[in-house]
Amino acid sequence: MDAKLIQLTVDALSSGGIIALFALGIALIFGVMDLINFAHASLIVVTSYSLLYLDVLPAGAALVAAIGMAVVVALATERVAFRPIRGAGEVTLLVTSFAVFYLIQNLTLLIVGGIPQSVHVLGFVRGSVMLGDVRVAKLSLVTIAVTGALLVSLAAFLKRTSFGLQMRAAAEDFGMARLLGVRANSVVAWAFALSGVLAGCAAILFVAETGTLTPNMGFNLVLFAFVATILGGLGSLWGAVLGAFILGALMVTLQNALPLDVRPYRDAFVFLAVIALLILLPNGLAGRRTRSA
Amino acid sequence: MACGHATNFGAHWRRAASAATRLGPLGIAVGVPILAVGAVSLFGSRSSERELTLIFIYVTIVVGLYVFSGLSGIMTFGHMGFMAVGAYAGAIFTIPVERKQFLLPDLPDFLQQIELGVGSGALVAGAVASAVAAVASIPIMRLAGLAASLSTLALLVIVNVVAQNWETVTRGNQTMLGVPTNTTLTSAFVTVVIVIVAAHLFERSRPGLRLRAYREDELAAAAGGIAGANERRLAFILSAFIVGLAGFLFAQFVGAFNANAFYLDLTFLTLAMLVVGGIYSLPGAVVGAMVVSSISWVLRRFEHDQDIGPVVVPGVGGIRELGVAVAMLAVLLVYREGLAGAGRSIGPFLVAAARRARRRPGASAPPMGRSVE
């Protein structure tokens, strides 16, 4: 029983970690722009398929370049699609981000073609390690470590640096922050760039685990991330992370606890559980936006 | 209509302009499909009839989307789930019993034996979709705008997962076959007209007006005693009925389908139709649906190599989705209000032109005390 618990915990932390990285990127952008950025979902496809073309580079450089692609695409979407509508109503922002997602997704597929391909990433992280009585995949541990490192660095950046402070101020009250001298464009651009880095890392970890590239890869995972930000409460970065880990735990628990014939419905059950949680807490776990239903 | 000494042409023009402006949005909403049917009946081929039937199915969907998103201001990404429910329910209730025994052998007896006609099948399909919406609305309507929109996306995924796995009812991953193909241009057209009129009546009804008040200014509406949740729920259920109806029509149009027909691609296409037409306008929804369907149809042909005169234009796979996405973004970034906004600008211009035509020399003095509204 103990071994099983360790296994489940490792899985939950590693899946939750990937979801958390996506959720954090989404929460960052929401914080500075009040925008739920569906286009974030397209960054998985962009990063992963870039890896395919970048395998001429040595492993480390390829990874960095792929993350770079995610950052470039994120910044491009900000400049071209989201800056003109900054401050527009919720609905316009939401629908625009959906359109951008669709556009980038299909453009990428147009360029690379839709046939599933295999890719080898983080090849040196093969194999498993013994943790007490349990055999644990090295990749899971690496995922947890990378996620932890990124979260800690982001926290340090936001708390300790001047720019982090500006971003937090902008997330708190954009207008006031500008009056106090925060440059709006830089803050928003940095939010997008950071979200690109987070998404790129998450995508690499995801691809390392699954090994295949398909047109719709990771969509369910990113959807979990969106739902995690709601669960955590829109407007709270750490709520998003918490929500993500809760979802990861739910996912892994259900995967193991559900009877075999019901297991294909796992994702449906996760969403149902989230909806149930939201009935109890309509503003999420740590939400600061209070809107009556 | 006063004023008697104008030329015949002037009188007809005035009468038409006056009638058109008086009919207003409903007139346009119903008029455009009427024109389309007329054009296709006179000039079209069998295939353009089929194409227009499909377009009318899309119009039905988009009117359904308007009834919820347009009136409440909350974007929905999940309504294709209701379309799927309507399609599968319609299939189960209308596939002939002998066929059903092979296709869906494990259905409970009651469903195995039943076989409905088009009318009752359509109503059942809509009702089942509404029932699902009613249940889903319990948690969803408690959430604020953005959270509600994301939860409708979760709903889409849930319905898709269930449809792809519930083999006894939906044949799971396999195609649902053997649905009687009863949808004709006439039945689609009649459905479109009924649905548009229903939407028009709803938006002018008490709940509809309260909902629009809530959409315009949530705080003011709350101050005026309108909390909005019940109205939103009603609109959600009504819109699910309409979209379920569209699903039924679709099922009886294609005869065979699977769960992936009702997922992201169709969600995006119908959302684009609503946006291009103007989210907050009923005639906009109708016209947007028809315009985007036409663009999509044209682009689909360019996905294969085309011979244009001496030149062969190479096919670009996926150009249809790209074209629709670009059109949608153009509206969102440049002309926010879509075609409805354009119509609103042009409308008064045309009315003013009609007024000026009346005052041209040759017509008698402008009528006193009568305004064309």
Side-chain angles (χ1 to χ4, degrees):
Chain A
M1 198 52 219
D2 235 5
K4 194 76 178 158
L5 195 59
I6 296 181
Q7 181 73 58
L8 282 179
T9 311
V10 168
D11 282 343
L13 284 177
S14 108
S15 304
I18 297 183
I19 300 175
L21 290 177
F22 284 125
L24 204 48
I26 294 164
L28 268 174
I29 295 177
F30 184 79
V32 296
M33 263 193 82
D34 266 358
L35 161 72
I36 297 276
N37 187 14
F38 275 128
H40 202 72
S42 62
L43 292 179
I44 304 185
V45 169
V46 166
T47 315
S48 319
Y49 278 88
S50 308
L51 282 172
L52 206 61
Y53 289 93
L54 291 168
D55 62 0
V56 290
L57 296 175
L63 294 180
V64 171
I67 297 177
M69 268 308 288
V71 173
V72 165
V73 170
L75 285 173
T77 58
E78 191 273 319
R79 190 65 191 80
V80 173
F82 298 127
R83 192 176 295 187
I85 57 171
R86 202 182 290 173
E90 278 183 354
V91 172
T92 310
L93 290 172
L94 189 64
V95 175
T96 307
S97 76
F98 193 61
V100 173
F101 156 70
Y102 206 69
L103 185 71
I104 297 177
Q105 187 98 349
N106 279 290
L107 200 56
T108 310
L109 290 173
L110 199 76
I111 299 174
V112 306
I115 307 170
Q117 321 222 23
S118 69
V119 70
H120 293 295
V121 169
L122 298 182
F124 54 93
V125 192
R126 289 280 153 242
S128 46
V129 112
M130 293 302 287
L131 209 63
D133 284 335
V134 176
R135 169 144 282 154
V136 167
K138 269 194 218 163
L139 182 58
S140 303
L141 294 175
V142 167
T143 304
I144 298 174
V146 169
T147 306
L150 282 170
L151 290 177
V152 167
S153 343
L154 189 66
F157 173 77
L158 289 175
K159 288 227 155 74
R160 303 284 172 82
T161 66
S162 145
F163 220 88
L165 182 61
Q166 290 181 40
M167 283 190 64
R168 280 190 295 139
E172 188 75 34
D173 188 338
F174 201 66
M176 183 58 97
R178 289 185 70 186
L179 286 173
L180 291 172
V182 169
R183 322 256 335 275
N185 287 346
S186 328
V187 162
V188 173
W190 268 95
F192 272 83
L194 280 176
S195 77
V197 169
L198 291 168
C201 294
I204 290 175
L205 290 169
F206 179 69
V207 171
E209 199 175 300
T210 56
T212 23
L213 304 175
T214 55
N216 282 318
M217 63 186 297
F219 181 73
N220 275 17
L221 215 60
V222 179
L223 195 54
F224 282 167
F226 282 112
V227 173
T229 54
I230 306 276
L231 187 60
L234 284 173
S236 164
L237 292 180
W238 306 115
V241 173
L242 184 60
F245 278 109
I246 291 179
L247 270 180
L250 260 173
M251 205 173 85
V252 165
T253 314
L254 283 174
Q255 181 74 25
N256 280 284
L258 285 176
L260 261 173
D261 51 341
V262 186
R263 215 168 276 180
Y265 296 91
R266 181 201 67 182
D267 287 349
F269 278 108
V270 174
F271 285 123
L272 284 174
V274 171
I275 291 181
L277 278 168
L278 284 173
I279 298 183
L280 297 171
L281 299 161
N283 282 318
L285 298 163
R288 68 177 157 100
R289 301 179 102 228
T290 42
R291 290 264 219 104
S292 48
Chain B
M1 295 286 292
C3 179
H5 299 303
T7 61
N8 269 343
F9 176 72
H12 288 315
W13 172 232
R14 277 195 310 279
R15 218 170 287 144
S18 157
T21 48
R22 213 169 320 130
L23 274 181
L26 184 60
I28 299 174
V30 176
V32 172
I34 291 178
L35 284 175
V37 170
V40 163
S41 306
L42 290 175
F43 308 115
S45 60
R46 178 112 180 85
S47 85
S48 53
E49 264 187 39
R50 274 188 71 78
E51 195 57 49
L52 189 59
T53 310
L54 187 61
I55 290 181
F56 280 158
I57 294 177
Y58 289 144
V59 171
T60 311
I61 299 173
V62 179
V63 170
L65 292 180
Y66 168 76
V67 165
F68 181 68
S69 293
L71 296 183
S72 73
I74 300 175
M75 262 304 124
T76 171
F77 298 100
H79 270 58
M80 292 307 100
F82 300 131
M83 188 179 177
V85 170
Y88 278 110
I92 291 173
F93 278 89
T94 59
I95 292 180
V97 177
E98 321 82 59
R99 257 184 249 168
K100 237 192 284 189
Q101 281 169 349
F102 294 111
L103 293 172
L104 299 162
D106 298 318
L107 280 180
D109 275 335
F110 155 67
L111 290 173
Q112 191 69 256
Q113 300 304 322
I114 200 166
E115 185 181 331
L116 296 176
V118 174
S120 14
L123 288 175
V124 167
V128 176
S130 311
V132 173
V135 171
S137 71
I138 298 173
I140 294 180
M141 293 308 135
R142 287 193 52 157
L143 301 172
L146 279 179
S149 298
L150 276 176
S151 57
T152 60
L153 187 54
L155 184 67
L156 180 71
V157 176
I158 292 175
V159 171
N160 189 262
V161 167
V162 168
Q164 292 223 27
N165 286 289
W166 200 4
E167 280 159 4
T168 40
V169 167
T170 65
R171 286 170 56 84
N173 258 327
Q174 297 176 286
T175 315
M176 174 67 84
L177 302 170
V179 185
T181 47
N182 292 320
T183 301
T184 60
L185 182 57
T186 315
S187 58
F189 174 66
V190 167
T191 308
V192 160
V193 171
I194 292 176
V195 152
I196 289 176
V197 170
H200 181 79
L201 291 175
F202 180 67
E203 72 178 349
R204 299 209 165 186
S205 70
R206 211 131 181 262
L209 288 171
R210 290 164 69 104
L211 192 58
R212 285 197 279 168
Y214 168 85
R215 176 194 78 198
E216 289 306 315
D217 191 327
E218 202 178 324
L219 283 177
I226 298 175
N230 286 333
E231 285 79 8
R232 265 178 289 149
R233 184 164 294 136
L234 183 61
F236 195 62
I237 295 174
L238 182 62
S239 67
F241 185 90
I242 295 174
V243 172
L245 212 59
F248 176 82
L249 280 178
F250 179 76
Q252 292 215 339
F253 178 67
V254 289
F257 58 89
N258 75 11
N260 282 319
F262 311 109
Y263 204 44
L264 284 176
D265 285 326
L266 192 57
T267 300
F268 181 73
L269 188 63
T270 48
L271 198 61
M273 292 177 186
L274 184 65
V275 166
V276 168
I279 303 177
Y280 303 119
S281 153
L282 179 59
V286 173
V287 172
M290 301 196 66
V291 166
V292 173
S293 304
S294 314
I295 294 177
S296 169
W297 180 67
V298 167
L299 287 176
R300 206 188 308 155
R301 303 172 78 112
F302 281 97
E303 290 191 347
H304 309 286
D305 298 345
Q306 296 287 317
D307 290 318
I308 301 184
V311 175
V312 177
V313 179
V316 185
I319 195 167
R320 192 185 75 140
E321 287 85 5
L322 279 178
V324 172
V326 166
M328 189 172 166
L329 279 171
V331 168
L332 285 166
L333 296 176
V334 177
Y335 204 83
R336 208 64 64 73
E337 305 205 2
L339 295 173
R344 266 185 224 120
S345 318
I346 298 180
F349 175 73
L350 288 175
V351 171
R355 284 208 189 107
R356 261 181 278 123
R358 216 194 292 145
R359 294 196 181 100
R360 236 183 264 135
S364 53
M368 299 282 286
R370 171 128 185 124
S371 59
V372 178
E373 230 22 77

